[in-house]
Amino acid sequence: MSVRILALVGSLRAGSHNRQLAEAAVKLAPEGAEVEVFDGLGDVPFYNEDIDVEGSVPEAAAQLRAAAQAADGFLFFSPEYNGTIPAVLKNAIDWLSRPYGAGAFGGKPVAVVGTAFGQYGGVWAQDDTRKAVGIAGGKVIEDIKLSIPGSLTRFAETHPADDAEVAAQLTEVVARLHGHAGETVAA
Ligand SMILES: Cc1cc2nc3c(=O)[nH]c(=O)nc-3n(C[C@H](O)[C@H](O)[C@H](O)COP(=O)(O)O)c2cc1C
């Protein structure tokens, strides 16, 4: 049985380099692992406890929760917006953190990577993502890190999957997360 890794991307723009990184991860997944990019984050309304009640949960949020429940691990791809995590990604984490104590992260392994234009590749956003996901119930694999600076120039002409250095780094990220997720599946 394949280990299922759900990829969540913190940029909604069509030409997103983080989205491209996620697409590269799909291609680079080792045998026995399947990376799926969740497509509907832009349709998930802002988290609101008033609508997070039986019968009122918006369809897009329910789909996000179902995809997360079915996953064995999570791979976040985050750019940096004003020194922190983009709202779309934080919103997804908030939805997945509830019901309190029974959210979809459920102690499953999580790795956070990403690219941003700044010289540090979005490390603040990625660190903040680790912090939030950990509080939300994920098992953050702290030593899986990949922050690629200069996104707009580095990937202007080259898709991350065709950048040999990035592809090698991403291959290692997915393989290591697969290892952690596989342990969870076997347990
Ligand atoms: C609202 C906004 C805020 C940004 N703030 C930062 C920032 O704090 N640090 C940084 O490195 N880049 C920042 N950027 C530039 C992004 O890193 C860059 O647009 C990146 O390519 C976005 O990722 P994407 O290609 O996946 O959309 C910001 C971009 C936007 C639109």
Side-chain angles (χ1 to χ4, degrees):
M1 197 182 78
S2 231
V3 170
R4 284 180 289 193
I5 295 170
L6 187 66
L8 298 174
V9 180
S11 168
L12 299 178
R13 74 184 183 96
S16 163
H17 296 121
N18 284 279
R19 170 86 196 194
Q20 291 177 0
L21 269 184
E23 287 163 359
V26 171
K27 286 189 198 164
L28 297 168
E31 207 179 313
E34 195 183 313
V35 178
E36 178 205 343
V37 182
F38 187 77
D39 257 332
L41 281 192
D43 299 324
V44 179
F46 282 130
Y47 185 81
N48 174 346
E49 285 181 90
D50 291 342
I51 58 172
D52 192 10
V53 289
E54 210 177 319
S56 295
V57 175
E59 180 57 25
Q63 283 177 7
L64 172 63
R65 281 179 170 165
Q69 287 290 357
D72 303 305
F74 300 89
L75 186 50
F76 280 76
F77 292 84
S78 186
E80 187 168 275
Y81 281 3
N82 299 303
T84 187
I85 180 173
V88 66
L89 215 46
K90 179 59 166 52
N91 190 43
I93 293 170
D94 292 341
W95 276 104
L96 295 175
S97 72
R98 292 296 187 269
Y100 182 69
F105 288 119
K108 291 182 266 191
V110 180
V112 181
V113 300
T115 185
F117 186 52
Q119 62 177 317
Y120 301 112
V123 285
W124 284 340
Q126 292 134 20
D127 282 347
D128 286 351
T129 303
R130 290 184 189 96
K131 176 181 158 193
V133 180
I135 291 170
K139 180 183 159 198
V140 177
I141 312 301
E142 294 281 350
D143 63 351
I144 300 183
K145 289 191 173 165
L146 179 59
S147 305
I148 305 163
S151 56
L152 295 171
T153 44
R154 180 155 192 165
F155 302 124
E157 307 283 337
T158 310
H159 190 285
D162 300 322
D163 180 314
E165 187 189 15
V166 169
Q169 291 168 325
L170 202 50
T171 300
E172 193 187 333
V173 163
V174 180
R176 290 187 60 205
L177 179 59
H178 173 219
H180 285 279
E183 283 169 20
T184 310
V185 172

